[in-house]
Amino acid sequence: MCGIFAYLGKKKAQPILLDGLKRLEYRGYDSSGIAIFDGTKIEVVKKKGRISELIHLLGKKQLDGRVGISHTRWATHGIPSDENAHPHFDQLRHLSLVHNGVIENYQLLKQRLINLGHTFQSETDTEVLAHLIGHYYELGKEDDPTARLIQALKRSLKEISGTYGIALIHSEVPNLLVGARRGSPLVLGIGNEEYFLSSDVTAICPYAHKVVYLNDGDLVTISSETFDIQSLNKTNNGFEIRDVDQTEMSASLKGFPHYMLKEIYDQPETIRNAFRGRLIQEEATAKLGGLNMSPQELLRIERIQVIGCGSARHAGIVGEYLIESLAHIPVEVEFSSEFRYKNSPMDRHTVVIAVSQSGETADTLAAVKEAKRKGLKVLGICNRVGSSIARETEGGVFMHAGPEIAVAATKSFTSQVLIFTLLALLLGRLRFLSAREGHEIVEAIEALPDQVAEVIKLDPQVRELAKKYAHSKRFLLFGRQFQYGVALEGALKIKEVSYCSAEGNPSAELKHGIIALIDQFTPSIFLCPKDGVYDKNISNMEEIKARGGPIIAIATEKDDLVSKVADEVLYIPNAQEYLCPILTVIPLQLFAYHLAIILGKDVDKPRNLAKSVTVE
Ligand code: M6R
């Protein structure tokens, strides 16, 4: 949700800023801009639309300067427009600021500043913060401009409520770049005599060899020689300089036309990465050292509360069925946004598991903090090492899926489900699951990458199906038990990239209302692998067929019965029902992808969305 990229060093800032922005574009893409200090003044160029629009506007123009800030926006306050694009100036145009987050009391502050004679160029909360800092800078008594700027910033940050990740420059403090964060991510990158600030480590990987993941409350001042981090939070204790994890290196398309398709095709590899080194053959179980919990502690878990948003929550729903079936531990899955304000009864034997690809989702992060405040043990399933949720949780499991760039989650979903399978196996083997059952699951997990590769071969067939049904305005998806979360996930994929209406339902709910939607124009997609509820699914399909609704089924190979009921069948390899969700979701990801392409949608950057939702 908005990307910040800033540079201070010996090279020309403009090309580096534009390159950084392109790497961050997935975070928000309704406008972008850069500000560079040229030795006497700050020049700002900004534009509504994609970063390509900004580059087009700049044309051959090269802003001269070695320190600058840049921003790619996902609008919260104010429509996407040139005026609302960042960076924003203060009243005297001495200070320029970029911001990710939401300043909740900006209206109040704005009115105060208007009363003091300030005029505003935009509708944004960010411009108010720029003016506020500028205002306190002018009032400051410190002789040293750096000290005056830092004091003005601290004073302003104390007055605002809400969240921020910011970067700013000031024309009276020429060789200084300043950043601060509260609730929105910011990473400091250290290169050879150059420094970077970025919302995301991926964007600084090509330039920096060391990084510092700033903590909430950190304020960083960077000069050409050095940097300094102070904590505005009394609770923070220091910072850690880490080597850049090269697996975070920005992914390239590797010949694929879109990241979404590339990431779907990545899945045999990402699934393997998720279980590599985590299976113990001899003991027929999984090993998850990152949980930081002894077998005794794992045995004391009486209840699991999963929290997440979007696809991460859907993975949690599949996880609920896995853990309850294999480990007999009650699991509840909640939207992070609901959990944080809900006073659910919890006891000390409840463990909370926060699921998040980015590790930065504001609602999930806030829910994690709330759970910690209640004294609960909180674990994380995250992709991003060093992310806020990964650092906020006591232990957890990393997905090792590599950067996921497309806004629509694909490979992160299957990795999350796989990790839930490992967790269910581990918890199950500590309880009632026999060694024989454990072995079967271990073997089935090891077979998965090849099976996933088989399913991906359905791609041309799925593309034809998408063509055939591309005129449909609405899709209904049905799945039960292990497949219910997959139905929800498939519907979300269709909605977010093709903008068609799609609904995921537990199959048996059909007759409780949904059946009213069935007609010849509304395809139903059924997830019906050979599992414990196979026959029930077939009956539900019959009910739809009897009412003239077209049916697409995703079924297990060699199932002849299903083709008698469904109009179209996509076959997946035979697999244990526990592991089928990882296979059945792939045709849905491909279907959503092709549907979007056929309908001419921007599949990697769907309208109104952003990859990482760092505002509430
Ligand atoms: O980074 P997170 O996993 O916390 O993100 C959660 C959701 O915002 C995310 O899954 C979103 O729903 C995706 N766009 C789904 O494709």
Side-chain angles (χ1 to χ4, degrees), residues 30-267:
D30 59 42
S31 55
S32 61
I34 58 174
I36 292 181
F37 178 66
D38 67 8
T40 42
K41 60 175 189 326
I42 293 171
E43 196 163 348
V44 171
V45 179
K46 51 188 193 172
K47 184 81 187 120
K48 176 183 166 186
R50 300 285 159 92
I51 289 158
S52 53
E53 302 279 334
L54 176 71
I55 294 172
H56 183 73
L57 177 68
L58 279 161
K60 293 205 170 31
K61 192 170 176 178
Q62 275 284 341
L63 304 186
D64 198 23
R66 275 134 181 92
V67 54
I69 56 178
S70 63
H71 189 267
T72 176
R73 179 169 186 248
W74 183 86
T76 55
H77 294 71
I79 55 162
S81 68
D82 292 353
E83 295 73 29
N84 289 336
H86 299 210
H88 289 285
F89 275 123
D90 69 336
Q91 177 74 6
L92 297 176
R93 300 175 74 85
H94 289 166
L95 173 150
S96 185
L97 174 85
V98 288
H99 167 226
N100 173 20
V102 173
I103 296 164
E104 287 158 5
N105 57 342
Y106 83 105
Q107 290 287 16
L108 220 74
L109 295 167
K110 188 171 183 172
Q111 194 50 55
R112 225 175 77 196
L113 290 161
I114 289 173
N115 296 345
L116 291 169
H118 286 237
T119 51
F120 289 88
Q121 316 301 320
S122 77
E123 304 155 293
T124 64
D125 50 345
T126 305
E127 193 186 7
V128 176
L129 178 59
H131 277 238
L132 190 66
I133 304 168
H135 167 67
Y136 284 134
Y137 179 83
E138 292 310 313
L139 290 185
K141 299 268 183 290
E142 298 81 0
D143 292 333
D144 172 30
T146 304
R148 186 149 23 121
L149 181 62
I150 300 306
Q151 262 324 103
L153 176 60
K154 284 184 181 170
R155 208 168 153 185
S156 306
L157 295 182
K158 258 196 203 143
E159 283 186 25
I160 61 170
S161 52
T163 55
Y164 56 80
I166 54 169
L168 64 92
I169 52 178
H170 197 291
S171 57
E172 289 181 1
V173 201
N175 252 325
L176 195 78
L177 172 63
V178 184
R181 72 159 278 182
R182 182 167 81 201
S184 298
L186 201 61
V187 185
L188 165 69
I190 306 165
N192 293 324
E193 298 185 86
E194 55 187 2
Y195 296 97
F196 308 83
L197 287 174
S198 173
S199 302
D200 177 331
V201 73
T202 315
I204 36 182
C205 275
Y207 301 101
H209 48 268
K210 302 267 182 202
V211 286
V212 178
Y213 294 96
L214 298 177
N215 290 312
D216 268 349
D218 279 355
L219 187 161
V220 56
T221 42
I222 304 164
S223 67
S224 18
E225 295 82 36
T226 187
F227 70 89
D228 176 57
I229 299 176
Q230 353 174 353
S231 170
L232 308 178
N233 273 356
K234 303 284 172 289
T235 49
N236 275 359
N237 34 18
F239 60 87
E240 193 188 338
I241 301 178
R242 304 187 192 198
D243 288 332
V244 171
D245 178 354
Q246 287 307 321
T247 59
E248 292 287 348
M249 188 67 111
S250 176
S252 71
L253 278 165
K254 295 194 183 137
F256 285 91
H258 300 98
Y259 280 107
M260 183 176 175
L261 190 63
K262 180 213 164 251
E263 286 157 7
I264 293 172
Y265 272 72
D266 276 350
Q267 289 173 109

Side-chain angles (χ1 to χ4, degrees), residues 494-547:
I494 293 174
K495 277 185 276 206
E496 57 182 347
V497 296
S498 75
Y499 318 151
C500 293
S501 157
E503 244 186 59
N505 298 289
S507 319
E509 279 295 294
L510 179 68
K511 51 199 170 296
H512 298 290
I514 305 148
I515 202 160
L517 297 175
I518 300 299
D519 61 22
Q520 56 179 316
F521 308 110
T522 305
S524 293
I525 304 181
F526 258 85
L527 300 157
C528 63
K530 279 279 172 61
D531 60 12
V533 285
Y534 171 78
D535 294 338
K536 312 280 173 200
N537 274 320
I538 296 284
S539 300
N540 290 137
M541 280 193 259
E542 296 278 12
E543 287 157 7
I544 290 176
K545 192 179 162 83
R547 287 159 181 86

Side-chain angles (χ1 to χ4, degrees), residues 309-312 355-358 361 407-409 492-493 496 613:
C309 305
S311 298
V355 190
S356 174
Q357 186 282 131
S358 62
T361 299
V407 165
L492 179 62
K493 291 291 87 88
E496 57 182 347
V613 186

Side-chain angles (χ1 to χ4, degrees), residues 308-314 336 355-362 364 381 389 399 404 406-410 412 416 489 492-493 496 609-613:
C309 305
S311 298
R313 190 183 71 93
H314 298 157
S336 307
V355 190
S356 174
Q357 186 282 131
S358 62
E360 299 294 350
T361 299
T364 307
I381 297 179
I389 294 170
M399 298 177 208
E404 190 178 63
V407 165
T410 52
S412 62
Q416 286 157 359
E489 177 59 8
L492 179 62
K493 291 291 87 88
E496 57 182 347
L609 292 174
K611 182 71 179 163
S612 180
V613 186

Side-chain angles (χ1 to χ4, degrees), residues 323-341:
I323 295 173
E324 292 195 345
S325 304
L326 296 174
H328 300 187
I329 300 173
V331 180
E332 201 169 323
V333 185
E334 185 59 278
F335 295 96
S336 307
S337 51
E338 289 301 305
F339 178 85
R340 63 185 289 195
Y341 294 116

Side-chain angles (χ1 to χ4, degrees), residues 285-296:
T285 188
K287 174 179 77 182
L288 298 171
L291 296 178
N292 298 326
M293 289 176 82
S294 66
Q296 291 74 16

